[in-house]
Amino acid sequence: MTPPAAGSRTGLFRTVRKHPAGALKARTVALVGNPNCGKTTLFNALTGLRQRVGNYPGVTVEKKEGRLALQDGIQCTLIDLPGTYSLLASAPDEQIATDILLGRASHTARPDLVVCVVDACNIERSLYLVSQLLDRSVPLVIALNMVDAAERNGITVRLRVLERELGVRVVPTVASKRRGVEELKRVIGQGAGAAGKSRQWRLPEPVQRECDELIGLLDEHHQLKGPDAFDEAAALLATDTADLERMVRYDPVLRDHVRRDHQRLEFLGVDRRSVFVEARYQWIRTLCAEAVSQEPRNGDTLTHRIDRIVTHRVWGIVIFAGIMALLFQSIFTWAALPMAWIHDGFDALSLLLTRIIPPGDLRNLLVRGALGGVAAVVTFLPQIILLFLFIGVLEDSGYMARAAFIMDRVMGRVGLHGKSFIPLLSSFACAIPGIMATRTIENSKDRLATMLVAPLMSCSARLPVYTLLIAAFIPARSVLGIFTAAGLTLLSMYGLGLFAALGMAWLFKKTFLKSSVPVFLMELPEYKIPSIRSVLVQVAERAYSFLHRAGTIILGASILLWFLASYPRMDGALPAERLQHSYAGLAGRFIEPVIRPLGFDWKVGIGLVSSLLQREMFVSTMGTIYNIDNANDEGGQASLRDRMNSDRDPATGLPTFTALTAVCLMVYYVLAMQCLSTVAVMRRETNSWRWPAFQIAYMSALAYGVTFVVYRAGLWLGLGG
Ligand code: GDP
Ligand code: MG
């Protein structure tokens, strides 16, 4: 083994020199920092990947890995970690970060270099984490990010002073504009990740003395040494005296000693709980007094002025509701034209296929089965794009964080705190990231309650179902000039989902998930003009996954459905009768007795069964079966909604759908758990089948019960015809 080259001070450099060139991939660089300081943006800038960034905490809840190519062809692995304020934090996502940093994670090697991202606008708070990293002698480089925002706020940072006092390199960056990224790469490449100066902060004399004694005892009884022993001692000294009884993992002699320490410190008037945090901050404040200067501000910042209205008790909620109403309204009006184009495009395609393929099963399979199902879903692409454009702009501008802040009061009523609202907001897009985002919640009961109700929020897969039914059955009457009955119906479906989620959360928290409501501290990021790039990247990703599903699962399922709906063959029968006696019709009629009380007939039944897999399947199923059903009219396709509108049951002569059935169906889709992927994620996150099973059971019961009540009430009001 070659000895380390002279002059290489760092662990990182040694790793490079010790191994032959092939082993370089062992090098791991980790990004850490407070939530929302720009870690993921920096990660993307360094690796060229496109991880999701968001202007609120809780977006990155797992570690993400990427390859980082340094100047001289050296490659290393870069890990983006969830945000954390401290190495001693307790939420599951923060725990991931700490475990990896301290080399306690089983699957990830301890990083060779840690890049701590420091938000230049919040240096003091970020230095708390830095000081913990220094105490742990972690090889460190600091990326001082958001220097653009700091400059705008009149904050000046003297980099040299910081570097001198901390003993590590500090690189200024603007991750969102890729400024300073090359320099950071260079510094990482030089292996300039020296462990900086540790333990510069001082505890008050008596506390330090007790601490040292305790460290000695921890070594003697539990073989704990170094920083681990110090952290343990600090935790023991800060803990409630009463809690000591329950800490049976400690030797009784030790616990007795700690109890006496507590008495002595209290006699001296030391606040044991805050003394450790305070001592660090004391040092940080002294350092910042020298290294950071803040120009006196004249008056309020723009953010403050906007927030005074937007987070107002009353106006805040009015504005929130207004923005949501506008969102759903524009989904209808702005998407109408591109949706018509897509529809016409598929029309032309099916005409073309009809011309070139001779009549028969193949033509029917392709045109009526496959194309019919896929076209029905793909037509909704413009609405999906609009939805994500809106969500992206609301998130990146900083408004979503305010929405969570406003909702904190409401969440408090149901026994949860505002932190739980962010996963619920994410679930508007899809319940899967929503359930993942619950990892930011410390209290495991709160986390479970939030996960259980997240799928009640209307995800984007429900949007095509809602808008298809609304377009077909809700009159486009205008309300208050700017809104239409259609837009308001859509808004109420989203409202129903939210209301149901809050109601169920309340019920769970009142019964088997009881716990006290912790205080919620949420940071409100500054407002900013949304970055077009990051919004578009997100929209493109969502549009792609929507189309991908349409081209794979939905295409396959539509073909299968075509067979099930066309066989057994009944030549000579009317198309409607053929469908009724096909395998699919049989299945629909089999479950009809169960769904009859909800006002649904066997045709709706086919849709309900196929959308157990995935909600949009309802739309493609309707697309396919109405195509088969209307097999007499050759060529161009009447729009699906017109066909659904004029459809009558061949046996009874009653319309398959009325406005009431449409509303009942929507209510059913709001509340029912029809998504296999969500079940799989729940299984993974709760590590058991118990909770997903419970979730399916309660959501099905809720969907069935509420739909039944709505249908009965509708009939009673005379809305059935
Ligand atoms: P993370 O929580 O630390 O991963 O933070 P993100 O990477 O998700 O970024 C949070 C927000 O800060 C996003 O809206 C970014 O666009 C924005 N952002 C990131 N870096 C900078 C920067 O250097 N300057 C400014 N002004 N904004 C930034
Ligand atoms: Mg992140």
Side-chain angles (χ1 to χ4, degrees):
M1 202 192 295
T2 28
S8 77
R9 294 164 296 142
T10 68
L12 181 65
F13 229 176
R14 273 202 294 278
T15 332
V16 179
R17 292 294 156 92
K18 256 192 294 192
H19 300 286
L24 285 183
K25 61 174 169 298
R27 270 185 14 163
T28 323
V29 178
L31 282 175
V32 286
N34 294 168
N36 221 22
C37 65
K39 290 178 299 301
T40 304
T41 315
L42 195 58
F43 177 82
N44 290 348
L46 285 168
T47 57
L49 289 177
R50 291 168 176 182
Q51 287 296 341
R52 214 163 111 48
V53 298
N55 202 359
Y56 55 83
V59 175
T60 313
V61 287
E62 291 179 298
K63 68 161 185 147
K64 296 274 165 62
E65 281 189 13
R67 305 235 114 244
L68 169 62
L70 300 174
Q71 258 93 351
D72 31 5
I74 302 177
Q75 295 266 333
C76 45
T77 307
L78 186 67
I79 351 185
D80 181 24
L81 293 175
T84 182
Y85 292 112
S86 150
L87 288 183
L88 303 172
S90 55
D93 59 329
E94 295 167 315
Q95 199 63 54
I96 294 175
T98 311
D99 286 350
I100 291 177
L101 284 177
L102 302 185
R104 292 183 197 141
S106 47
H107 302 292
T108 316
R110 187 182 187 133
D112 301 295
L113 175 68
V114 171
V115 176
C116 184
V117 185
V118 166
D119 174 357
C121 303
N122 287 297
I123 292 198
E124 289 201 3
R125 201 192 51 209
S126 314
L127 284 179
Y128 189 80
L129 179 62
V130 169
S131 115
Q132 287 183 326
L133 289 168
L134 288 175
D135 289 0
R136 287 275 173 174
S137 305
V138 170
L140 197 65
V141 166
I142 289 178
L144 187 67
N145 195 33
M146 309 233 186
V147 285
D148 57 334
E151 214 167 281
R152 272 201 303 279
N153 291 337
I155 297 169
T156 321
V157 183
R158 278 176 280 282
L159 297 174
R160 299 293 152 249
V161 176
L162 268 189
E163 287 192 331
R164 192 188 68 218
E165 294 302 315
L166 302 175
V168 298
R169 286 294 306 271
V170 178
V171 182
T173 56
V174 181
S176 50
K177 300 201 179 74
R178 300 169 153 271
R179 263 165 49 197
V181 171
E182 287 309 312
E183 170 69 7
L184 184 61
K185 273 191 194 173
R186 211 174 52 74
V187 172
I188 295 174
Q190 285 169 347
K197 303 183 181 171
S198 62
R199 269 312 295 280
Q200 299 202 67
W201 52 288
R202 291 283 159 260
L203 282 166
E205 229 327 276
V207 184
Q208 183 63 52
R209 209 168 38 230
E210 307 293 6
C211 224
D212 289 341
E213 258 180 53
L214 209 48
I215 289 173
L217 282 174
L218 279 166
D219 186 9
E220 184 182 326
H221 293 284
H222 298 279
Q223 288 76 48
L224 272 179
K225 288 187 201 336
D228 280 333
F230 178 79
D231 284 345
E232 206 70 31
L236 280 171
L237 287 178
T239 196
D240 275 349
T241 311
D243 285 347
L244 281 174
E245 292 307 325
R246 275 179 276 124
M247 300 186 171
V248 282
R249 62 178 185 279
Y250 293 108
D251 193 281
V253 178
L254 192 100
R255 277 187 282 162
D256 235 33
H257 184 93
V258 175
R259 204 169 296 119
R260 262 175 286 123
D261 284 349
H262 282 188
Q263 285 165 1
R264 254 194 310 266
L265 291 176
E266 264 151 37
F267 178 74
L268 292 171
V270 174
D271 183 349
R272 291 183 292 109
R273 270 167 220 88
S274 65
V275 69
F276 292 92
V277 179
E278 202 30 61
R280 260 188 226 275
Y281 268 114
Q282 187 69 45
W283 168 74
I284 292 172
R285 276 191 293 265
T286 319
L287 171 59
C288 285
E290 198 189 343
V292 184
S293 57
Q294 159 96 59
E295 247 169 54
R297 294 210 179 139
N298 36 356
D300 267 357
T301 60
L302 184 63
T303 292
H304 278 125
R305 264 176 289 159
I306 299 175
D307 271 347
R308 220 171 304 136
I309 309 168
V310 167
T311 60
H312 186 269
R313 295 187 77 90
V314 180
W315 295 126
I317 292 177
V318 172
I319 291 172
F320 182 57
I323 290 179
M324 290 296 143
L326 190 73
L327 194 167
F328 296 124
Q329 187 58 51
S330 47
I331 281 179
F332 276 106
T333 39
W334 297 352
L337 197 60
M339 284 175 76
W341 293 335
I342 295 179
H343 178 80
D344 292 348
F346 275 108
D347 240 19
L349 188 61
S350 80
L351 259 176
L352 183 74
L353 288 178
T354 314
R355 289 240 180 85
I356 55 177
I357 307 173
D361 267 1
L362 181 66
R363 177 158 106 188
N364 283 343
L365 168 67
L366 284 180
V367 178
R368 306 205 176 277
L371 199 60
V374 171
V377 168
V378 171
T379 310
F380 291 94
L381 181 66
Q383 294 189 335
I384 297 288
I385 289 181
L386 267 179
L387 177 72
F388 284 105
L389 210 56
F390 258 100
I391 293 183
V393 168
L394 289 180
E395 274 179 5
D396 211 43
S397 63
Y399 181 78
M400 279 303 195
R402 272 73 188 181
F405 180 81
I406 297 166
M407 290 307 288
D408 185 37
R409 272 191 287 268
V410 181
M411 299 301 283
R413 296 254 168 81
V414 307
L416 291 174
H417 61 94
K419 224 176 190 178
S420 292
F421 193 64
I422 288 179
L424 294 187
L425 271 178
S426 310
S427 304
F428 271 141
C430 174
I432 292 165
I435 288 171
M436 303 276 288
T438 61
R439 291 188 184 181
T440 57
I441 301 168
E442 279 135 77
N443 184 315
S444 60
K445 289 181 173 169
D446 286 359
R447 179 165 181 232
L448 190 55
T450 314
M451 284 197 276
L452 283 175
V453 302
L456 286 168
M457 305 294 285
S458 285
C459 62
S460 60
R462 283 155 165 126
L463 184 64
V465 181
Y466 297 160
T467 53
L468 173 68
L469 291 166
I470 289 174
F473 301 101
I474 306 294
R477 206 178 303 130
S478 98
V479 180
L480 292 174
I482 47 167
F483 302 117
T484 60
L488 291 180
T489 308
L490 188 56
L491 179 65
S492 26
M493 289 307 143
Y494 277 78
L496 174 65
L498 174 60
F499 183 78
L502 294 179
M504 293 314 291
W506 176 82
L507 191 68
F508 296 152
K509 291 291 301 171
K510 268 269 174 270
T511 50
F512 59 95
L513 293 177
K514 248 188 217 151
S515 67
S516 57
V517 183
V519 191
F520 175 47
L521 290 174
M522 171 146 179
E523 235 189 293
L524 297 181
E526 260 186 71
Y527 286 105
K528 66 180 184 83
I529 307 279
S531 134
I532 298 173
R533 195 185 126 91
S534 76
V535 171
L536 288 187
V537 162
Q538 215 189 105
V539 170
E541 222 166 69
R542 294 298 182 156
Y544 172 80
S545 86
F546 182 74
L547 287 178
H548 183 78
R549 279 200 310 258
T552 51
I553 299 185
I554 292 183
L555 177 67
S558 298
I559 292 172
L560 181 66
L561 187 72
W562 180 85
F563 277 108
L564 294 177
S566 309
Y567 289 85
R569 297 205 67 119
M570 284 183 55
D571 291 321
L574 287 172
E577 273 171 36
R578 260 190 256 156
L579 175 64
Q580 198 177 0
H581 293 101
S582 68
Y583 295 121
L586 228 61
R589 281 187 298 153
F590 179 72
I591 66 158
E592 186 170 10
V594 183
I595 56 175
R596 193 75 256 182
L598 310 181
F600 305 151
D601 76 353
W602 59 274
K603 253 188 211 173
V604 177
I606 301 176
L608 290 184
V609 172
S610 67
S611 59
L612 282 177
L613 204 61
Q614 188 165 298
R615 295 178 176 97
E616 316 96 299
M617 285 291 297
F618 178 78
V619 174
S620 61
T621 302
M622 292 294 127
T624 302
I625 66 176
Y626 277 96
N627 256 336
I628 294 173
D629 204 359
N630 292 270
N632 280 342
D633 52 297
E634 286 289 311
Q637 316 191 345
S639 80
L640 175 56
R641 73 171 115 119
D642 295 339
R643 285 184 184 170
M644 287 170 65
N645 213 328
S646 54
D647 186 39
R648 285 176 188 273
D649 189 294
T652 59
L654 292 172
T656 303
F657 294 97
T658 62
L660 180 61
T661 1
V663 169
C664 288
L665 249 181
M666 282 190 269
V667 168
Y668 184 84
Y669 272 87
V670 170
L671 303 172
M673 171 72 150
Q674 286 166 303
C675 182
L676 277 185
S677 324
T678 305
V679 177
V681 167
M682 276 298 283
R683 155 81 184 82
R684 198 186 69 199
E685 293 293 302
T686 60
N687 221 351
S688 84
W689 281 112
R690 202 160 67 120
W691 292 113
F694 171 73
Q695 189 170 38
I696 296 173
Y698 100 78
M699 287 179 70
S700 307
L702 187 69
Y704 196 90
V706 175
T707 312
F708 179 77
V709 171
V710 171
Y711 181 60
R712 284 288 134 193
L715 286 183
W716 186 70
L717 290 169
L719 300 175

